[in-house]
Amino acid sequence: MRYLVKAKLKADKSKALLRSIADGVLGRGSIAGDEYIFNMSEARVNNDGVATWVETCFCDPPLAEERPYWEEYFALVSVKDAHSCRNCRHENGTEPWACCECDCTKKLEEKLRGQGEPFLEQLRAEDRQA
């Protein structure tokens, strides 16, 4: 499944998050592996400081595996289905793990790229100014 995740960075966590990304350890130990760093590279942030990204997750409930890793740095605002489940090959049982190579959220991801600012760029710029 693909989820639209909205989260707000916790106070005083920006340096730790940047360090974990730079060191390649964000999400270490999770079955999701490199997905965390990829999500941060794709995340967008709005004027209210809410970061948004699309995340692939097969857990029930959504983000059960990822939640502890994200909650170290973020307060999760919302986690919603990123698309209609009725056409999802993983959800309807026609192709297990189909979400790994699926582009069902391509339009949503393209739309997100046009909204707000790149999360990591903003985070790095704020870090340089501090």
Side-chain angles (χ1 to χ4, degrees):
M1 284 296 301
R2 297 267 173 90
Y3 296 98
L4 182 64
V5 179
K6 293 187 177 192
K8 190 146 180 132
L9 188 63
K10 291 179 179 178
D12 300 322
K13 287 295 185 173
S14 60
K15 287 189 184 301
L17 177 59
L18 282 172
R19 193 175 326 109
S20 71
I21 292 169
D23 294 346
V25 298
L26 178 63
R28 182 174 283 166
S30 170
I31 194 167
D34 295 342
E35 188 75 13
Y36 297 89
I37 293 173
F38 175 76
N39 292 148
M40 293 293 91
S41 70
E42 294 293 309
R44 306 294 289 191
V45 64
N46 67 19
N47 291 336
D48 296 327
V50 176
T52 304
W53 66 90
V54 175
E55 181 157 345
T56 302
C57 175
F58 298 96
C59 302
D60 185 22
L63 272 59
E65 162 72 17
E66 297 86 351
R67 189 172 295 269
Y69 296 91
W70 289 130
E71 288 180 340
E72 182 176 341
Y73 305 101
F74 292 96
L76 296 176
V77 175
S78 67
V79 177
K80 298 179 182 178
D81 287 343
H83 67 93
S84 170
C85 296
R86 74 174 183 273
N87 297 325
C88 178
R89 297 185 317 270
H90 174 78
E91 287 298 304
N92 68 25
T94 60
E95 185 181 342
W97 307 102
C99 296
C100 294
E101 302 298 325
C102 182
D103 66 353
C104 63
T105 55
K106 185 175 182 175
K107 287 182 183 177
L108 173 60
E109 291 164 339
E110 288 172 359
K111 181 180 176 183
L112 286 176
R113 283 187 201 103
Q115 297 177 352
E117 300 295 325
F119 175 71
L120 272 182
E121 285 181 26
Q122 183 175 345
L123 199 60
R124 288 175 178 138
E126 290 171 2
D127 185 57
R128 286 190 296 272
Q129 292 175 355

